[in-house]
Amino acid sequence: MSGPDDGHAGPDDGHTGTSGRTGQATLTAVPPRPPTPEEPPQRPGITRWAADLAMGGRFAVTGGRESWARTIMTAVGVGLGVTLLLFAASVPTMDAGRTERSNAIAAFGFGEEPEPGPGTVHVAQADTDFRDVDISGMVMAPDGARPPHPPGVSGVPAAGEMYVSPALKKLLDSDEGKLLRDRFPYRVAGVIGDSGLSGPTELRYYAGITPKQFDSVPSSYHLDSWGAQDTSGDELDPALVLLVVMGCVVLLLPVLIFIATAARFGGERRDRRLAALRLVGADIHMTRRIAAGESLFGSILGLAVGATLFLLLREAVGGASMMGLSFFTSDIMPSFPLALAIVLTVPASAVAVTLIALRAIAIEPLGVVRNATPKRRRLWWRLLLPLLGIGLLAPLAGGFGVGSSGGDFQSYQAAAGAALLLIGTTALLPWLVESVVERFGKGSVPWLLATRRLQLSSGTAARAVSGITVAVAGAIALQMLFASVEGQSTEETNQDPNRAQLMMNMKVDNGAQARDAFDRLGAAKGVRSVLEITEGSISDAHSKAKDPADIRTNSLTVAGCPALRELAHITSCRDGDAFIVTRDPEYTGPDNAFAKPGAQVNVAFDDEDMPTPGKQKLWTVPRSAKKVESREDPTGALHSGIFATPGAFDVSDLANPQAVAMLRLDPKVPDADEYVRNASVTIAPTLDVTQITSSSQSSEFQTIRNVLFIGATSTLLLIGASMIVTTLEQLRDRKRLLSVLVAFGTRRSTLSWSILWQTAVPVVLGLALSLAGGLALGVLLLKMVGQPLAVDWAGLAAMTGIGAGVILVVTLASLPPLWRMMRPEGLRTE
């Protein structure tokens, strides 16, 4: 943002302005004497460059209070950008460390399951949820004397004991975790070390149970070692890859633009000091190198400031959690190649930006010439950048990520194209501001003050909002791609949470156990009703097959009428009724051919749930059984076979029953689902309580969304901080002018409104430009992933509103220091 007297020219200003803050006439010195033929001009060598840059560095620290103020401003601005770049450079090591530990603690039983023996352990997953967080857990029992233990613990926990992560221990010991403690009937024997956790805030536990308790565990396996196979070959969906690439471009471009802007803080005062060097014999090239040396010193000091802030924030970020992600402090370490690139690029860019900026200024021994007739900014090269970006992105339409070859090259091409398009959008801003403000005419005094300053020098005002322009443009495009990828990554589950909210599958030995499990769940606080379903198998009692696999089988479902109505289209039901259910009312396939009214079926099965030839336990299907059509249950599944009420079939006669409970909760009871989970532990230590939801998202998309949210928050904070630093630097430069205007009777409100208008004009133009650039980039990105054009107008309005809000907040924050600078003390000088 810029004030009413910001006359600093930029590398692309293409014109000159006035240097003095009081409107003094410009003095032009006599051109220096050309060199004699005996002394031809020579190009400066490395030694001369080094000496001049070192002299500029000395001026940055020995040039008095003004030099120090400018150096500190530059260092703070560059330091803020470097801090975020270092965190971005740490992402590869953070991800690598987290992935390595996650693979080390994985226990998915890859490959062939080993035979139980002295070196194996019997394990089962026992994950659970508590409110809005996930808790990972496993129950285990050793098979012998040398069982492998999970990483981070000293051994396999004994029965009735558990190891917990520090975060879970903290939660269990807190008042908030009082309800959760009832879910873990184990004594805490120790804490899991860092090597056994993916992150410091992960909630994880390992519990020991008896071998007998595994009888009620539906799925378990044996391990002889811990750790997952190498998953480096797993590939993301191309749309997710593009989302990651665009996220990096959108989040880092504003940082780079701000670092380049910070290198030009206080440039106008510096230029007047350089005129004094011309007076004592320095030529124009030497003064430019000295100015570059000042910027170089400020950027190097900014590197130190950024590294210091990074180390301080690293301690705060390590151990913190945001959106379910956390990292150890040791993980937050910049990748060496990326850190080296930052160390080399930031000072080099500061030198380059300073030299380019000084090309538009004539620094003479008696002053800085800025009163020449301004030249129109050139449009052609500004249009060339977005056109090149479109040229790189257009060939990827409909083919991004297709095939395994060229994937990395396509990612680089997409990143380069997006960067050129966004940079080109930003480069158009100075031309657009100049073209618009030159048409401004009459108006109020504050309006005239603001527009006149913009007409004289609009470059600084445009540069002040360039960061927010590129950020909003990128955010709009990212929002369009995000909405499309979210639709791809979100699947409809066909579940109906209005009919039931929780569902559980339980392994039971007999019908009595099933009834006991249903009673325990129904007694949990907050449960309104339980849909009790017990499923088993029946086989053809008259089959002549000798091989059990050749005997026809079907399913038998025993439940009350309310539950059966949730599974089939039943109009009339009372205890004692039975139904023959098919997914199609006309279906007469072989599975149902033997299960018909009045037929005898066999309910005897072995432990492997296979019918045993020669061993029968007969049951006659009631002749009153009606044929009905299947209905999707609350989880979206279809059931078929024989449906019977408890009066028609005794559930205790089922050989290997499977109990299914669908629970309806009372919405007025808080934490009703937590009470149900606590009750489920009394039935089986690994009972899985499933939340019935209408849609689900892929875990990869959720992780990328969380990372992008964290990065966008950091970038937005940087933009706000950078604009505050820019505003303070501009106010400091025009402190004397503001005091003079107030001394002559100008009202403070007039100056305040003029600054607001001077800020608002570039902001409005910048947001309009970012809207156009963002929509163009968004359309190209959607074409690349083969998605139809879809604009999230609500998200687009939100992105634009956030950009405008940041500018407004920074402007309001600058008013108190502005009023202090209008005091008469500002007229003092040395």
Side-chain angles (χ1 to χ4, degrees):
M1 116 186 10
S2 177
D5 190 60
D6 196 333
H8 183 45
D12 57 359
D13 287 333
H15 69 282
T16 56
T18 60
S19 171
R21 297 298 191 198
T22 58
Q24 299 174 352
T26 303
L27 299 178
T28 306
V30 178
R33 179 176 60 87
T36 62
E38 292 79 9
E39 299 177 352
Q42 297 181 356
R43 298 178 63 86
I46 297 179
T47 304
R48 184 71 265 169
W49 266 92
D52 293 342
L53 292 176
M55 183 180 296
R58 289 196 298 272
F59 286 159
V61 296
T62 61
R65 185 172 58 186
E66 292 294 336
S67 294
W68 265 113
R70 176 181 180 273
T71 301
I72 292 175
M73 284 288 187
T74 301
V76 171
V78 173
L80 291 174
V82 168
T83 301
L84 196 55
L85 288 180
L86 289 176
F87 274 106
S90 302
V91 170
T93 56
M94 293 162 64
D95 179 68
R98 185 181 178 89
T99 302
E100 181 180 355
R101 288 189 301 273
S102 298
N103 288 337
I105 63 180
F108 300 118
F110 287 114
E112 185 177 351
E113 182 178 352
E115 291 293 331
T120 63
V121 61
H122 198 182
V123 299
Q125 292 291 141
D127 299 341
T128 186
D129 298 324
F130 181 67
R131 292 173 179 161
D132 58 343
V133 295
D134 299 328
I135 301 177
S136 302
M138 300 194 75
V139 295
M140 59 192 67
D143 293 322
R146 302 186 306 275
H149 59 81
V153 298
S154 57
V156 175
E161 295 182 346
M162 69 175 179
Y163 291 95
V164 297
S165 65
L168 180 56
K169 186 177 188 303
K170 181 179 179 181
L171 178 60
L172 291 174
D173 294 340
S174 66
D175 294 336
E176 182 184 2
K178 182 179 180 181
L179 177 61
L180 180 63
R181 286 197 293 270
D182 296 336
R183 201 174 307 173
F184 297 102
Y186 314 103
R187 183 182 67 85
V188 177
V191 176
I192 304 174
D194 292 351
S195 61
L197 302 172
S198 61
T201 62
E202 181 183 13
L203 302 178
R204 176 175 289 273
Y205 74 95
Y206 297 116
I209 62 175
T210 64
K212 179 62 177 176
Q213 288 178 289
F214 273 101
D215 294 341
S216 60
V217 174
S219 177
S220 63
Y221 45 93
H222 299 269
L223 291 177
D224 56 8
S225 64
W226 293 79
Q229 293 177 337
D230 182 22
T231 58
S232 59
D234 296 344
E235 295 184 357
L236 286 176
D237 182 87
L240 295 178
V241 174
L242 184 60
L243 187 61
V244 172
V245 172
M246 290 302 105
C248 294
V249 172
V250 170
L251 297 179
L252 293 181
L253 263 185
V255 180
L256 300 177
I257 290 177
F258 171 64
I259 290 178
T261 303
R264 300 176 62 177
F265 284 168
E268 197 165 313
R269 292 175 180 265
R270 175 203 61 199
D271 298 342
R272 290 198 294 271
R273 292 195 302 273
L274 295 177
L277 293 177
R278 293 297 313 276
L279 191 61
V280 296
D283 61 17
I284 186 66
H285 301 290
M286 181 178 180
T287 56
R288 291 177 180 176
R289 292 193 292 271
I290 292 173
E294 287 192 66
S295 298
L296 177 63
F297 180 84
S299 64
I300 293 176
L301 187 60
L303 284 175
V305 171
T308 303
L309 289 175
F310 169 76
L311 293 176
L312 293 176
L313 293 175
R314 176 174 175 260
E315 296 295 329
V317 172
S321 176
M322 179 179 287
M323 304 290 289
L325 294 176
S326 65
F327 300 91
F328 290 104
T329 302
S330 57
D331 292 335
I332 309 175
M333 183 63 64
S335 170
F336 179 76
L338 296 178
L340 182 62
I342 294 172
V343 171
L344 296 178
T345 303
V346 170
S349 63
V351 172
V353 167
T354 302
L355 293 177
I356 294 174
L358 291 175
R359 292 178 59 187
I361 303 171
I363 302 176
E364 300 295 342
L366 297 180
V368 180
V369 178
R370 296 178 185 272
N371 272 344
T373 302
K375 294 189 299 182
R376 294 279 301 176
R377 286 186 170 87
R378 297 178 180 178
L379 180 61
W380 67 269
W381 70 266
R382 303 173 192 274
L383 291 176
L384 184 61
L385 293 177
L387 290 178
L388 288 175
I390 294 174
L392 289 175
L393 295 175
L396 300 177
F400 183 84
V402 176
S404 57
S405 61
D408 291 340
F409 177 78
Q410 288 184 343
S411 298
Y412 294 136
Q413 182 178 348
L420 285 173
L421 182 54
L422 292 176
I423 293 174
T425 301
T426 305
L428 283 169
L429 183 59
W431 176 87
L432 181 63
V433 173
E434 182 185 71
S435 301
V436 172
V437 298
E438 71 178 3
R439 293 173 170 82
F440 288 160
K442 299 179 181 181
S444 61
V445 174
W447 175 258
L448 291 176
L449 284 173
T451 56
R452 181 54 179 162
R453 174 48 51 198
L454 290 174
Q455 290 168 349
L456 289 176
S457 179
S458 59
T460 304
R463 285 194 303 273
V465 298
S466 59
I468 200 71
T469 299
V470 69
V472 172
I476 291 173
L478 199 61
Q479 180 72 18
M480 295 174 63
L481 179 62
F482 193 91
S484 172
V485 175
E486 184 176 24
Q488 285 183 291
S489 303
T490 303
E491 295 182 358
E492 295 298 326
T493 62
N494 294 325
Q495 297 180 356
D496 189 354
N498 295 319
R499 295 165 61 189
Q501 292 76 51
L502 296 177
M503 189 269 290
M504 279 160 287
N505 284 297
M506 297 168 283
K507 181 180 179 182
V508 293
D509 294 333
N510 49 58
Q513 285 188 2
R515 284 192 293 267
D516 177 67
F518 294 144
D519 291 341
R520 294 190 186 191
L521 294 175
K525 184 179 179 180
V527 176
R528 288 195 308 179
S529 62
V530 179
L531 301 178
E532 305 173 0
I533 302 169
T534 306
E535 297 178 333
S537 299
I538 57 175
S539 64
D540 185 0
H542 304 289
S543 176
K544 303 299 183 181
K546 301 298 182 180
D547 187 351
D550 295 334
I551 301 177
R552 293 180 296 176
T553 61
N554 208 331
S555 62
L556 173 61
T557 302
V558 182
C561 289
L564 292 181
R565 288 192 177 97
E566 295 292 335
L567 308 181
H569 293 283
I570 299 174
T571 56
S572 175
C573 176
R574 61 183 179 179
D575 194 25
D577 288 348
F579 305 90
I580 299 176
V581 182
T582 61
R583 293 176 183 162
D584 186 335
E586 304 299 328
Y587 177 75
T588 57
D591 286 346
N592 281 327
F594 71 93
K596 55 187 178 180
Q600 285 188 328
V601 296
N602 183 21
V603 296
F605 283 76
D606 60 18
D607 292 338
E608 301 297 330
D609 205 25
M610 295 291 292
T612 304
K615 180 180 179 181
Q616 291 187 339
K617 187 176 182 180
L618 300 179
W619 173 68
T620 302
V621 180
R623 295 186 179 276
S624 60
K626 304 174 184 177
K627 181 179 291 187
V628 296
E629 185 179 355
S630 178
R631 176 192 180 192
E632 289 186 354
D633 68 13
T635 67
L638 288 171
H639 302 257
S640 61
I642 306 298
F643 283 14
T645 57
F649 184 86
D650 187 355
V651 71
S652 60
D653 291 336
L654 287 175
N656 299 301
Q658 180 79 12
V660 179
M662 300 183 189
L663 285 77
R664 294 169 176 166
L665 305 180
D666 187 350
K668 298 180 181 179
V669 177
D671 291 326
D673 52 345
E674 304 302 331
Y675 290 110
V676 172
R677 291 188 176 96
N678 289 352
S680 69
V681 176
T682 64
I683 302 172
T686 63
L687 186 57
D688 186 20
V689 181
T690 304
Q691 192 87 28
I692 296 178
T693 58
S694 58
S695 62
S696 63
Q697 287 183 339
S698 67
S699 58
E700 293 89 353
F701 173 78
Q702 294 179 17
T703 301
I704 294 172
R705 178 190 61 189
N706 295 344
V707 172
L708 289 180
F709 176 81
I710 296 172
T713 302
S714 303
T715 303
L716 189 62
L717 292 176
L718 172 70
I719 290 174
S722 66
M723 296 190 68
I724 291 176
V725 174
T726 304
T727 302
L728 293 177
E729 187 270 342
Q730 293 175 356
L731 292 177
R732 183 182 63 85
D733 272 354
R734 57 179 178 264
K735 176 180 179 180
R736 189 182 307 170
L737 173 62
L738 295 173
S739 299
V740 169
L741 290 175
V742 173
F744 275 97
T746 307
R747 291 184 298 179
R748 295 187 177 185
S749 60
T750 299
L751 295 177
S752 300
W753 277 107
S754 70
I755 291 178
L756 183 60
W757 285 122
Q758 186 178 339
T759 303
V761 171
V763 167
V764 171
L765 296 177
L767 291 179
L769 197 60
S770 64
L771 184 64
L775 287 175
L777 179 58
V779 170
L780 289 173
L781 295 180
L782 291 179
K783 292 293 185 182
M784 289 168 59
V785 294
Q787 293 296 312
L789 176 62
V791 181
D792 183 5
W793 294 107
L796 187 148
M799 292 295 104
T800 307
I802 290 174
V806 170
I807 301 293
L808 180 60
V809 169
V810 173
T811 303
L812 294 177
S814 67
L815 291 181
L818 170 65
W819 293 332
R820 287 195 300 269
M821 291 180 183
M822 294 178 184
R823 296 171 181 172
E825 288 83 355
L827 296 175
R828 297 176 60 185
T829 186
E830 299 178 3

